[in-house]
């Protein structure tokens, strides 16, 4: 079965991500489920070297386990002064006992000697769409910003309170969901996904 766009399982247990994805795709007719609807599906080990590797691994596993089209998001924060770290390790930075707040506090601590002009960073999001037969598409979105000295705001999830988005003069943690969804790495990847959906619908219609 090739890529089906009526029902998609989003291969995530991260509720912050799923809320953003649902909101970004609310105008489409796609019925979206997440792994919270399938507690029997085990955790996938994210041991890839790139966001692409991990996104494909998560989506392939869910697509083949459930026999549905799956969409996986692998994302993270890449800090230039740290040679791109935490990058693919963003969810695991600081070890298994860290929560979101401890992780960003640890990152601020690691960056405390890094001066204002050298705190550039980017959020990266790779979305992998995989059908049960293995057909696949990748979509990549990037959002540039810089790491603050102190957290600002309590919105969003993950590293949002320490990521400053120059153009809007605020951190992702200070933005409401609609504002973040206008510019984020995830929004950019999902815009490409939405364009792909539109193209697929058009080509199906033209085939009668
Ligand atoms: P799933 O694998 O179940 O989707 P996860 O949280 O493990 O959930 P990732 O492996 O892709 O997901 O790790 C992404 C981490 O990067 C995430 O846990 C956050 O710490 C960070 N991150 C990604 N997108 C973010 C965003 O929009 N805002 C803040 N932090 C983000």
């Amino acid at each position: 079965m090739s890529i089906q766009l009526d029902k998609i399982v989003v291969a995530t247990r991260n509720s912050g991500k799923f809320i953003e994805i649902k909101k970004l795709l609310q105008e489409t007719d796609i019925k979206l489920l997440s792994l919270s609807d399938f507690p029997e599906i085990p955790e996938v080990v994210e041991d890839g070297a790139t966001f692409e590797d991990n996104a494909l691994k998560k989506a392939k596993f869910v697509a083949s386990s459930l026999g549905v089209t799956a969409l996986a998001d692998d994302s993270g924060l890449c800090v230039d002064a740290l040679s791109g770290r935490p990058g693919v390790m963003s969810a695991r930075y600081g070890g298994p006992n860290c929560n979101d707040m401890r992780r960003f506090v640890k990152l601020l601590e690691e960056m405390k000697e890094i001066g204002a002009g050298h705190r550039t960073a980017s959020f990266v999001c790779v979305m992998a769409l995989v059908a049960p037969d293995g057909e696949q598409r990748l979509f990549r979105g990037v959002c540039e910003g810089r790491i603050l000295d102190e957290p600002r705001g309590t919105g969003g999830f993950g590293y949002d309170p320490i990521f400053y988005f120059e153009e809007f003069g605020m951190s992702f943690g200070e933005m409401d969901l609609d504002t973040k969804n206008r510019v984020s790495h995830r929004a950019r990847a999902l815009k490409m996904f939405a364009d792909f959906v539109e193209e697929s619908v058009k080509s199906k219609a033209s085939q009668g």
Side-chain angles (χ1 to χ4, degrees):
M1 196 195 348
S2 58
I3 288 174
Q4 299 293 307
L5 295 167
D6 47 342
K7 180 173 116 181
I8 290 178
V9 175
V10 184
T12 186
R13 287 202 163 82
N14 180 321
S15 57
K17 273 186 188 178
F18 187 56
I19 289 167
E20 290 185 10
I21 293 168
K22 258 203 338 215
K23 182 100 189 173
L24 281 158
L25 297 178
Q26 68 185 357
E27 305 288 317
T28 69
D29 293 330
I30 304 168
K31 178 172 188 228
L32 290 176
L33 299 170
S34 84
L35 289 184
S36 309
D37 300 300
F38 303 96
E40 71 281 10
I41 299 287
E43 210 58 55
V44 173
V45 181
E46 295 183 38
D47 52 5
T50 64
F51 294 110
E52 280 78 2
D53 289 345
N54 284 335
L56 278 171
K57 188 171 181 187
K58 290 190 264 192
K60 277 182 188 163
F61 181 69
V62 170
S64 62
S65 305
L66 296 174
V68 294
T69 296
L71 182 71
D73 163 317
D74 200 59
S75 44
L77 179 65
C78 302
V79 178
D80 296 327
L82 303 178
S83 313
R85 282 192 305 109
V88 289
M89 298 295 291
S90 294
R92 284 156 290 160
Y93 178 75
N97 296 324
C98 268
N99 56 18
D100 279 352
M101 194 174 86
R102 286 202 188 149
R103 263 187 287 277
F104 71 62
V105 167
K106 185 178 157 61
L107 188 63
L108 290 181
E109 177 64 24
E110 189 181 348
M111 292 184 65
K112 70 173 189 279
E113 304 297 338
I114 299 173
H118 300 91
R119 298 178 72 89
T120 50
S122 42
F123 266 129
V124 177
C125 172
V126 172
M127 311 275 328
L129 183 70
V130 176
D133 69 358
E135 187 185 344
Q136 54 184 248
R137 294 281 186 290
L138 285 169
F139 312 95
R140 174 180 254 259
V142 178
C143 179
E144 313 275 353
R146 71 181 162 80
I147 305 300
L148 290 163
D149 296 323
E150 303 260 307
R152 277 172 57 169
T154 53
F157 68 97
Y159 299 89
D160 281 343
I162 64 165
F163 186 82
Y164 186 74
F165 187 68
E166 207 78 55
E167 211 177 304
F168 290 1
M170 57 179 129
S171 80
F172 270 11
E174 293 174 304
M175 291 181 188
D176 59 31
L177 186 55
D178 285 331
T179 310
K180 181 179 172 188
N181 274 349
R182 275 161 54 200
V183 295
S184 79
H185 49 312
R186 187 159 296 105
R188 288 171 183 172
L190 281 171
K191 167 79 177 75
M192 292 177 198
F193 169 71
D195 290 346
F196 166 76
V197 172
E198 201 179 311
E199 278 306 306
S200 306
V201 170
K202 267 194 214 148
S203 92
K204 253 196 195 151
S206 70
Q207 283 161 18

